[in-house]
């Protein structure tokens, strides 16, 4: 049994759903298909949540989501008496009923109860379309099996309970294909939760681990894991093989293709992960596995819009453990991720994203105890498997402000002079 995961971009239109069907059709053994919401539906649903929670009229925002899905339906199912219209209509009715009730006080809770419709809609469409194409499959509501705690929007998986339920629910009875939702789950009381944005790769990894799958394939709109974002380099290289360890490191430094939490469950059970192109499904893509590879291609990760904060003690005393605990606590409480940190005797420097709400909150808290100064408009460049040539290449027209090196990785905070 293997797991396929299709993200929003791979099902962004009726044509993309047809393409998905072709990919699924060409595999003839047991298959679990994890699907996320179509195109940018989750963003559109976030707008609905925002309006609902703030007691503003969400109907126009809902209409946008509706129009998009019905335009896809019209293309895929010209016969309007098709059962899919009843099912999709039913989901929108449920959603609208929810939106007519009064919102509770917990934003994150309300978010999860509403945002889940993106995945419910997409999986119903995919499942019905596959059936129409003669590809027999069973639609599964993952919330019956994947159980989490009640940390809404960032729910933690209950591995024990989920393990039992997933093995019971995800059995192949009448069909060899099961279709289910990424990203969403539920508490033991059946209230919907989510695993964090972009969480459906993680869902695929969880199911793979619980069901002892042979492999996971994440279908993407890129050829696989590239050594740099094509946005920055026009001569990017496809990395054909990469170890779990390197994949985790790259995800940590900001390679967007792999969701950081996806690797761990797979690594623990030695389940291979492929990242492949849904545009060129015959190409092998990238294989992520336990094997360490000798031929190491340098990878480049660029983060722009960085801010370097310099935090020093007001009385010129040293930055010791107690201060560090205080400083890091402030970042953790405000959920602002530190991209790089460096310590000297009386100054602690951190590089962070220029987050319009979290950063001012952090600075305010820090200023109760420390003197804080900052520099805006910087870039953070990370090179894994660096050498002098690769460093020289990224430093053209840049002024280097800070540097940190380990054996395999260099990180530089730079200012663009070009
Ligand atoms: N649909 C969710 C999101 O856009 C989950 C995912 O795509 O992985 O964040
Ligand atoms: Mg998505």
């Amino acid at each position: 049994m293997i797991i396929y995961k299709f993200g929003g971009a791979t099902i962004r239109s009726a044509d993309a759903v047809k393409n998905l069907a072709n990919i699924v059709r060409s595999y003839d053994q047991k298959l679990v298909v994890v699907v996320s919401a179509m195109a940018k539906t989750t963003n559109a649903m976030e707008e609905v949540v925002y309006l609902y929670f703030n007691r503003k009229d969400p109907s126009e925002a809902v209409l946008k989501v509706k129009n998009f899905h019905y335009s896809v339906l019209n293309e895929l199912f010209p016969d309007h008496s098709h059962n899919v219209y009843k099912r999709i209509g039913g989901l929108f009715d449920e959603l609208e009923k929810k939106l007519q009730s009064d919102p509770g006080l917990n934003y994150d809770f309300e978010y999860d109860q509403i945002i889940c419709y993106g995945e419910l809609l997409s999986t119903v469409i995919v499942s019905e379309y596959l059936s129409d194409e003669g590809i027999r499959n069973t639609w599964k509501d993952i919330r019956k099996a994947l159980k989490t705690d009640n940390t809404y929007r960032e729910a933690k998986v209950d591995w024990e309970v989920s393990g039992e339920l997933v093995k019971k629910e995800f059995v192949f009875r009448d069909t060899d294909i099961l279709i289910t939702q990424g990203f969403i789950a539920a508490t033991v009381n059946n209230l919907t939760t989510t695993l964090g944005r972009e969480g459906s790769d993680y869902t695929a990894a969880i199911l793979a681990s619980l069901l002892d799958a042979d492999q996971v394939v994440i279908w993407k709109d890129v050829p696989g894991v590239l050594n740099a974002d094509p946005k920055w380099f026009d001569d990017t290289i496809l990395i054909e093989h990469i170890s779990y360890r390197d994949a985790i490191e790259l995800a940590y430094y900001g390679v967007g293709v792999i969701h950081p939490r996806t690797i761990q469950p797979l690594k623990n059970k030695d389940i291979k992960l492929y990242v492949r192109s849904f545009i060129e499904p015959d190409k092998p893509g990238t294989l992520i596995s336990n094997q360490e590879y000798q031929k190491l291609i340098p990878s480049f990760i660029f983060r722009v819009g960085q801010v370097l904060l310099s935090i020093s003690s007001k009385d010129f005393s040293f930055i010791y453990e107690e201060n560090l605990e205080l400083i890091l606590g402030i970042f953790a409480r405000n959920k602002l991720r530190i991209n790089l940190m460096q310590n000297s005797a009386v100054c602690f420097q951190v590089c962070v994203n220029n987050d319009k709400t979290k950063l001012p909150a952090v600075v305010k808290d820090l200023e109760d105890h420390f003197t804080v100064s900052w520099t805006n408009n910087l870039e953070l460049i990370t090179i894994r498997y660096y050498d002098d040539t690769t460093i020289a290449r990224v430093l053209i027209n840049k002024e280097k402000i800070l540097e940190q090196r380990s054996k395999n990785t260099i990180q530089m905070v730079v200012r663009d002079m070009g």
Side-chain angles (χ1 to χ4, degrees):
M1 190 271 294
I2 71 171
I3 312 248
Y4 276 0
K5 184 260 166 172
F6 291 91
T10 62
I11 44 161
R12 66 175 152 225
S13 62
D15 279 344
V17 174
K18 292 178 185 171
N19 185 53
L20 175 150
N22 286 332
I23 292 174
V24 168
R25 195 198 316 270
S26 61
Y27 187 74
D28 60 1
Q29 290 167 49
K30 292 191 170 33
L31 180 65
V32 175
V33 182
V34 174
V35 182
S36 77
M38 293 186 76
K40 298 259 179 273
T41 299
T42 304
N43 292 347
M45 292 299 291
E46 283 187 340
E47 181 67 19
V48 174
V49 177
Y50 173 83
L51 294 168
Y52 167 71
F53 191 76
N54 292 292
R55 294 175 185 270
K56 294 182 180 140
D57 181 11
S59 45
E60 227 169 277
V62 175
L63 194 62
K64 235 175 85 185
V65 176
K66 242 184 181 169
N67 286 343
F68 170 75
H69 284 86
Y70 277 99
S71 77
V72 171
L73 284 181
N74 285 330
E75 258 190 75
L76 294 177
F77 308 93
D79 172 8
H80 280 243
S81 62
H82 194 290
N83 190 41
V84 72
Y85 286 96
K86 218 170 107 201
R87 290 181 72 188
I88 295 298
L91 287 172
F92 277 115
D93 286 349
E94 255 179 48
L95 170 64
E96 275 158 358
K97 200 170 142 215
K98 164 72 188 161
L99 295 174
Q100 272 150 24
S101 70
D102 274 343
L105 295 178
N106 182 346
Y107 186 82
D108 294 346
F109 170 78
E110 300 295 353
Y111 181 102
D112 285 355
Q113 309 319 304
I114 293 170
I115 212 83
C116 60
Y117 284 93
E119 270 72 13
L120 295 172
L121 291 165
S122 68
T123 48
V124 166
I125 294 175
V126 165
S127 170
E128 291 280 355
Y129 183 71
L130 291 178
S131 299
D132 240 29
E133 286 291 294
I135 307 168
R136 298 183 59 227
N137 69 91
T138 309
W139 183 87
K140 288 279 172 198
D141 185 340
I142 198 165
R143 295 174 298 180
K144 292 204 174 116
L146 184 56
K147 295 297 172 183
T148 65
D149 70 359
N150 62 359
T151 317
Y152 297 102
R153 291 183 73 182
E154 255 177 79
K156 306 283 167 297
V157 173
D158 185 330
W159 287 89
E160 219 169 290
V161 176
S162 303
E164 274 178 40
L165 292 174
V166 163
K167 279 187 204 89
K168 249 191 251 156
E169 272 292 316
F170 284 76
V171 286
F172 299 86
R173 278 204 191 88
D174 316 311
T175 69
D176 280 347
I177 300 174
L178 307 178
I179 309 288
T180 199
Q181 306 78 31
F183 177 52
I184 69 173
T187 65
V188 287
N189 297 320
N190 294 331
L191 295 166
T192 304
T193 56
T194 59
L195 305 172
R197 283 304 305 266
E198 306 303 329
S200 47
D201 289 3
Y202 184 43
T203 304
I206 296 165
L207 290 180
S209 165
L210 294 177
L211 294 167
D212 287 311
D214 297 321
Q215 54 167 269
V216 175
V217 182
I218 296 181
W219 295 95
K220 282 266 171 191
D221 56 353
V222 289
V225 180
L226 301 172
N227 78 323
D229 189 328
K231 205 160 64 194
W232 311 112
F233 281 1
D234 45 22
D235 56 347
T236 52
I237 305 167
L238 174 74
I239 305 177
E240 287 170 26
H241 305 277
I242 180 174
S243 65
Y244 293 124
R245 167 76 201 257
D246 275 329
I248 288 176
E249 296 264 351
L250 291 181
Y252 172 80
Y253 291 119
V255 170
V257 205
I258 319 158
H259 194 283
R261 276 182 305 174
T262 308
I263 308 293
Q264 200 60 46
L266 301 176
K267 180 180 186 312
N268 289 346
K269 286 217 167 165
D270 202 1
I271 299 167
K272 292 189 176 77
L273 170 64
Y274 291 86
V275 180
R276 294 173 60 182
S277 162
F278 85 110
I279 303 156
E280 298 178 299
D282 300 329
K283 299 262 173 76
T286 298
L287 164 60
I288 303 167
S289 72
N290 242 336
Q291 204 167 329
E292 299 283 340
Y293 292 92
Q294 290 310 313
K295 197 173 143 255
L296 299 166
I297 300 167
S299 291
F300 301 84
I301 303 114
F302 298 86
R303 288 181 192 268
V304 295
Q306 297 292 297
V307 179
L308 187 66
L309 290 183
S310 299
I311 305 155
S312 29
S313 48
K314 286 185 171 160
D315 55 1
F316 226 65
S317 66
F318 292 150
I319 300 280
Y320 273 145
E321 287 80 353
E322 301 78 36
N323 284 333
L324 286 177
E325 194 178 1
L326 185 61
I327 294 170
L328 295 176
I330 289 173
F331 281 90
R333 262 199 311 285
N334 288 289
K335 296 205 169 114
L336 182 62
R337 218 199 102 163
I338 296 175
N339 295 330
L340 175 140
M341 53 186 151
Q342 187 144 299
N343 195 17
S344 71
V346 291
C347 182
F348 186 65
Q349 289 186 300
V350 296
C351 184
V352 292
N353 293 357
N354 195 352
D355 188 302
K356 293 282 177 289
T357 47
K358 292 175 188 168
L359 183 56
V362 163
V363 170
K364 191 170 160 281
D365 288 355
L366 285 170
E367 281 178 336
D368 289 341
H369 312 272
F370 306 96
T371 305
V372 184
S373 65
W374 58 89
T375 319
N376 284 324
N377 291 328
L378 301 175
E379 295 169 16
L380 174 62
I381 305 175
T382 306
I383 312 174
R384 183 143 173 91
Y385 303 125
Y386 62 91
D387 58 20
D388 290 342
T389 321
T390 50
I391 294 174
R393 172 177 182 175
V394 298
L395 285 182
I396 295 168
N397 282 331
K398 311 273 184 196
E399 179 199 355
K400 189 163 70 185
I401 292 173
L402 197 150
E403 174 190 306
Q404 229 172 57
R405 279 181 203 234
S406 66
K407 183 164 153 271
N408 293 324
T409 308
I410 186 167
Q411 292 200 284
M412 293 172 288
V413 178
V414 305
R415 182 184 284 123
D416 188 28
M417 312 293 282

